[in-house]
Amino acid sequence: VILLDRAIEGDKYTAWIGGDNKEIGRQAGEYIVERLKGKGTVLMIRGIAAATPTLERGGGAMEVFAKYPGIKVIEGDDCGYQREKARKYMETFMQKGQKIDAIYAHNDEMAIGAYLAWSAQMWTGPSSEKPARPIIVGIDACQVEIVDFIKRGQIDATFKYPNPGPRGI
């Protein structure tokens, strides 16, 4: 039995092939801390609550954030790695009026969803009340669409998750 991408508890498998999600989370965390100069509020939009990538991507970033007392983290909802769920969550979150400086989404789909919700809100209401766009960071870097969002300045960064499929096969 060869596991691709997701680890499991126990040892009932021969090999696991996947990326280092904890290290990717650390890299994303370092990027966010650097951009915020060590101070600010980060909204973390999580994937599937019990999934290994969610725990590791979140844990890696939290290791970094814990070193900076000026960084406050809001652990957001489980959005299942889905764009639409993240968009709806972000819409609801923004209605609370809580200021955030960065969004760390556990994948690019959720980062895009968060951006789309933020962008839609910016078209309503008086311009004097519109906050600056938060830094938006995702993970995976496996689709052209995320690169286009970054090139247009709508999303700030993504961190590459190596696709384990070719190595696994």
Side-chain angles (χ1 to χ4, degrees), residues 8 121 150:
I8 61 171
Q121 182 195 26
I150 292 169

Side-chain angles (χ1 to χ4, degrees), residues 74-152:
I74 300 168
E75 292 208 39
D77 282 358
D78 166 5
C79 292
Y81 294 107
Q82 297 176 25
R83 181 183 301 197
E84 191 59 23
K85 282 186 178 182
R87 186 185 64 77
K88 287 180 181 178
Y89 168 70
M90 191 68 192
E91 287 170 352
T92 302
F93 180 85
M94 289 186 303
Q95 289 173 2
K96 298 174 188 174
Q98 191 168 1
K99 182 188 177 302
I100 56 170
D101 303 295
I103 297 168
Y104 168 44
H106 288 173
N107 79 344
D108 293 334
E109 281 295 309
M110 295 187 303
I112 291 169
Y115 170 78
L116 293 174
W118 180 87
S119 178
Q121 182 195 26
M122 292 305 99
W123 292 103
T124 62
S127 60
S128 62
E129 296 176 15
K130 293 179 184 176
R133 180 179 66 76
I135 295 162
I136 303 175
V137 175
I139 293 177
D140 284 335
C142 63
Q143 59 194 44
V144 172
E145 187 178 19
I146 192 68
V147 174
D148 291 340
F149 272 88
I150 292 169
K151 285 180 180 177
R152 290 190 301 260

Side-chain angles (χ1 to χ4, degrees), residues 8-79:
I8 61 171
E9 290 186 29
D11 60 358
K12 303 285 187 218
Y13 60 92
T14 305
W16 170 78
I17 301 171
D20 187 341
N21 282 299
K22 196 161 207 169
E23 179 56 28
I24 292 167
R26 285 185 199 108
Q27 291 173 11
E30 289 289 351
Y31 175 83
I32 292 167
V33 166
E34 183 178 312
R35 289 286 310 273
L36 294 177
K37 297 180 178 31
K39 293 181 183 175
T41 301
V42 180
L43 172 63
M44 187 179 327
I45 301 178
R46 300 177 301 133
I48 298 169
T52 310
T54 300
L55 299 173
E56 293 175 350
R57 290 174 182 187
M62 290 303 287
E63 284 179 13
V64 173
F65 297 149
K67 296 176 188 175
Y68 297 88
I71 298 287
K72 178 185 172 196
V73 179
I74 300 168
E75 292 208 39
D77 282 358
D78 166 5
C79 292

